[in-house]
Amino acid sequence: MDDRTRGRERLAGVASDLTARPDVGVGRMFGSEGYSVRGKLFAFVANDGRLVVKLPAERIDERGLDNMVMHGRPMREWAAVPYELGADEWGAITREAHAFVDSITP
């Protein structure tokens, strides 16, 4: 199994409570299956199998996460979460990302 598939399977498992909500959608984003709240993306799995989530910049720093880099540029409110942090952390971070995007999305 490749890294992206492994990451997608983990994300599907840890986000099952979120995907059951009527305002959460699942669709293709950045070439991967992503999760959105009212159309705004909050989590997806990168090609290398890392979880990518939208969080406030200060939370990314507080959690000691790296920013996602796109076209050589770090994305300020997007964090890359290593697979090695484990399913429990992935779940907690995904729920936090959902809550953040939910709070800023009309």
Side-chain angles (χ1 to χ4, degrees):
M1 177 181 319
D2 66 26
D3 291 338
R4 182 187 246 179
T5 300
R6 183 175 69 154
R8 282 180 175 165
E9 287 181 1
R10 174 181 281 171
L11 180 57
V14 302
S16 62
D17 60 324
L18 295 173
T19 58
R21 297 173 58 129
D23 61 346
V24 173
V26 180
R28 303 282 300 168
M29 319 260 180
F30 299 109
S32 184
E33 192 170 86
Y35 297 79
S36 61
V37 59
R38 293 184 304 286
K40 299 295 183 182
L41 184 65
F42 67 88
F44 67 95
V45 174
N47 288 338
D48 61 7
R50 292 181 299 167
L51 171 65
V52 179
V53 294
K54 185 171 181 72
L55 292 171
E58 60 273 5
R59 284 298 291 150
I60 293 171
D61 292 340
E62 287 169 7
R63 282 187 162 276
L65 299 170
D66 292 330
N67 287 93
M68 176 183 83
V69 176
M70 185 176 272
H71 304 294
R73 197 178 113 225
M75 305 304 288
R76 193 175 65 84
E77 290 190 325
W78 288 95
V81 183
Y83 189 85
E84 294 72 30
L85 279 186
D88 288 344
E89 266 309 286
W90 270 40
I93 291 168
T94 300
R95 285 186 292 282
E96 185 175 346
H98 171 268
F100 171 60
V101 174
D102 186 38
S103 75
I104 63 172
T105 302

